[in-house]
């Protein structure tokens, strides 16, 4: 990444989060004040009705940073890929 | 130890032989096969679509398996999870554990399934016979089952 | 529900399909396979001879299986035990349990093995690589395992 | 059976009990005072060195009456087949 001010990350969505957002993935530039999973969700909710629907109950949306499960308060750090998805239902 | 995500079905005997065939240090082999049920909490289910997070799935499954290998004296373990379209009666998931004695093999297989159900990034969408579809909701009971291993 | 005593080997996939193939009410299938280990408590084992009490064996296995069917919501269960000569690495015993959910299938399979080990009239004689032979002694741990289901 | 006084039963032996007795099975007539598994074992021990060796530690020999596990104090009743064997080791 060129600078810290313009952080380019890949967002990926699964299951009903993907269906509500309407995209499987997208590349975005994060504003400076988006520093945690929680603040990223807050920012995403402003981006349109699909996003606000997907994150209407943020406590049921799970997140992973570079493919590792994380809690909402986790700082984004130098992450490259952020995933949002419902609780898992495999097995 | 192997983990796999695949579209194709699996054969329990063939997977077992590939994993432990010819070994003479194994007294107990436990397999768990999960299948699509034609009815879930009173809803009719014609088919399931299994979606996953490529890359994370394999990493997460390998980490669950490494944890089982560290906690029990296992000679071998295997986890195979299917993705894509499956109909009622089809196989979804296979876990195999092999040990000298049966208690380790049984416990480790239960542990692998409990952790797989709560940590591995798979999602099921059910299709009903009338063509409707809905994402399966996570069960609180699965979290409880996983918590007992802490 | 089926129980069998036989000289021939068994195939886990084939037995599972014969037991529950085509059914759509089964979400969980657990199998346990017991094999001859090449080493038992520090002794080298080349082969085992399995003797049983014809008539009583089948009755006892059927009664153990009936008890499991009464205690857990099982859709099906199968027990197959081999007799005769087996060498290290060979299959000895197979238990299959099938249920809507995994906890019943796992518990019932463990129960069936614990009761089989302490009640069904089978006896193992080990042959060592030098040609010596000795009857296997019962393990106190097997009695303890069976007692936890009381 | 014709009378209670001459009770004819089949004895069957398994594993090392069979090897020590030297027979897989035999038909015997039980004396009147043999009324339980325990007293039967006492009577068998008098029949020769193979028997006394097989039943040297009677607490480790298990018994079944007509193919049902029983305790040593169990009355023989109208049993037809009595089996003696070591603790089971299948599975």
């Amino acid at each position: 990444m060129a600078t810290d001010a313009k952080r380019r990350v890949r967002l990926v969505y699964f299951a009903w989060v993907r269906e509500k957002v309407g995209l499987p993935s997208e590349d975005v530039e994060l504003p400076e004040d988006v520093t945690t999973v929680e603040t990223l969700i807050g920012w995403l909710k402003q981006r349109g009705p699909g996003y606000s629907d997907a994150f209407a109950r943020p406590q049921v949306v799970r997140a992973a940073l570079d493919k590792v499960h994380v809690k909402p308060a986790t700082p984004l750090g130098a992450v490259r890929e952020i995933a949002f998805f419902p609780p898992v239902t495999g097995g | 130890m192997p983990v796999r995500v695949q579209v194709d079905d699996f054969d329990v005997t063939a997977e077992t032989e590939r994993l432990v065939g010819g070994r003479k240090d194994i007294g107990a082999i436990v397999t768990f096969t999960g299948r699509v049920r034609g009815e879930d909490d009173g809803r009719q289910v014609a088919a399931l679509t299994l979606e996953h997070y490529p890359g994370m799935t394999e990493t997460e499954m390998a980490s669950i398996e490494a944890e089982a290998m560290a906690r029990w004296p296992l000679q071998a373990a295997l986890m195979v999870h299917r993705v894509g379209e499956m109909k009622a009666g089809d196989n979804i998931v296979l876990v195999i554990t092999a040990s000298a004695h049966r208690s380790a093999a049984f416990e480790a297989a239960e542990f692998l399934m409990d952790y797989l159900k709560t940590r591995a990034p798979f999602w099921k969408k059910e299709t009903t016979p009338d063509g409707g579809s809905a994402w399966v909701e996570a069960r609180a009971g699965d979290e409880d089952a996983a918590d007992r291993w802490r």
Side-chain angles (χ1 to χ4, degrees), chain A residues 3-91:
Chain A
T3 71
D4 278 340
K6 287 286 183 187
R7 284 170 305 153
R8 202 169 173 80
V9 296
R10 185 170 188 81
L11 302 180
V12 294
Y13 310 110
F14 293 98
W16 54 253
V17 177
R18 172 178 53 72
E19 289 182 341
K20 285 174 197 268
V21 168
L23 290 169
S25 66
E26 59 184 324
D27 293 328
V28 297
E29 283 185 0
L30 299 181
E32 239 179 296
D33 59 344
V34 169
T35 56
T36 65
V37 172
E38 255 166 351
T39 53
L40 172 55
I41 291 175
W43 179 70
L44 286 170
K45 285 173 78 170
Q46 313 302 318
R47 299 183 86 215
Y51 294 93
S52 59
D53 187 16
F55 295 100
R57 294 181 300 148
Q59 68 282 6
V60 302
V61 179
R62 302 289 189 261
L65 298 188
D66 287 336
K67 302 188 167 98
V68 174
H69 290 292
V70 293
K71 302 248 183 262
T74 307
L76 299 179
V79 67
R80 285 182 298 183
E81 184 170 284
I82 303 160
F84 293 104
F85 44 76
V88 303
T89 57

Side-chain angles (χ1 to χ4, degrees), chain A residues 15 18-19 69 81 89 91, chain B residues 51 53 119 122 124-125 135:
Chain A
R18 172 178 53 72
E19 289 182 341
H69 290 292
E81 184 170 284
T89 57
Chain B
E51 175 174 330
Y53 183 177
R119 291 197 186 174
F122 291 99
K124 286 190 185 110
K125 190 175 200 171
W135 292 96

